[in-house]
Amino acid sequence: MVFIETNNEMTNDFVSNKQRLFDRWAPSYDCLFPSVIYQAIHQRLLKYVNLPPKARVLDMGCGTGRLLNRLASQFPNLHGTGLDLSSEMLRFARSSNCHHPRLIYLRGEADTLPFAENQFDAVFSTISFLHYLHPEHVLNQVARVLKPHGSFYLVDINCPQFLEPYLQVFQTTSAEAIRLYSRESRQQLGANAQLKCLGHHSLLTPVLLTVFSK
Ligand SMILES: C[S@@+](CC[C@H](N)C(=O)[O-])C[C@H]1O[C@@H](n2cnc3c(N)ncnc32)[C@H](O)[C@@H]1O
């Protein structure tokens, strides 16, 4: 596992670059081929989701809000918050919010979550963890905002050979901008943040779900 040493300026550049890329991608995000894959992933993820009645959930890096709409349809008493770096992604999420006011969307960064501790029964992250510069900070934040025994559903690409098309979308060859985590490194990162790994499930060949509990 590689942790990247950064100063504030590097971190700000990294985050603004990501924001620009996702703002640019937002208008076509739900129409392009990767979206078909993402929606298949969301559908398969539901099979493993276990929530208490009236669950409060956070979707970190929520993009256009497709996963939260699906969760809110499946769990009629759920309240969800979507958080994303990209204002443009959030604009589309708000305009396709089928469950207002049960679902709300906020702009923010995953490594400084703007919530008090012990707020959520579950946190979701689908195909966004690979973008985080400081994964260890993000996991500490997830552990902080989860209620005791709450769940973290981490879904990400885990096969390097499937990264190539993704790097093309981002017009970068830099694997530094996107990082993949094996089963072992997910487990280790979780343990460092006091999150217990309950298991891994393949959702698609290159996409792995890891479930953690606080
Ligand atoms: C590939 S999209 C996935 C969106 C959604 N989770 C899905 O399954 O369709 C990755 C999302 O992560 C967001 N993101 C990237 N870095 C982030 C950060 N540091 N904090 C919050 N969101 C971030 C991007 O803006 C983008 O909307």
Side-chain angles (χ1 to χ4, degrees), residues 1-5 133-136 179 189 192:
M1 206 175 340
V2 181
F3 292 121
I4 299 177
E5 294 259 342
L133 184 58
H134 297 298
E136 67 289 9
R179 273 172 285 147
L189 277 167
N192 293 347

Side-chain angles (χ1 to χ4, degrees), residues 22 29 42 61-63 84-85 89 108-110 126-128 132 166:
F22 280 107
Y29 185 80
H42 297 164
C62 62
D84 204 282
L85 184 63
M89 285 287 194
E109 285 181 40
T126 57
I127 324 289
S128 57
Y132 300 149
Y166 205 78

Side-chain angles (χ1 to χ4, degrees), residues 34-46:
S35 174
V36 177
I37 310 267
Y38 295 160
Q39 288 184 56
I41 292 167
H42 297 164
Q43 193 178 5
R44 289 176 187 201
L45 165 62
L46 277 190

Side-chain angles (χ1 to χ4, degrees), residues 19 23 26 30 59 62-69 80-108 114-115:
Q19 187 184 340
D23 278 347
D30 284 331
D59 186 8
C62 62
T64 55
R66 292 289 186 126
L67 175 63
L68 277 182
N69 271 330
T81 301
L83 176 126
D84 204 282
L85 184 63
S86 157
S87 330
E88 285 301 298
M89 285 287 194
L90 290 169
R91 196 159 65 80
F92 285 91
R94 289 184 183 117
S95 68
S96 60
N97 184 352
C98 310
H99 301 276
H100 184 79
R102 281 201 294 132
L103 299 183
I104 57 163
Y105 291 95
L106 301 176
R107 191 181 171 279
F115 308 108

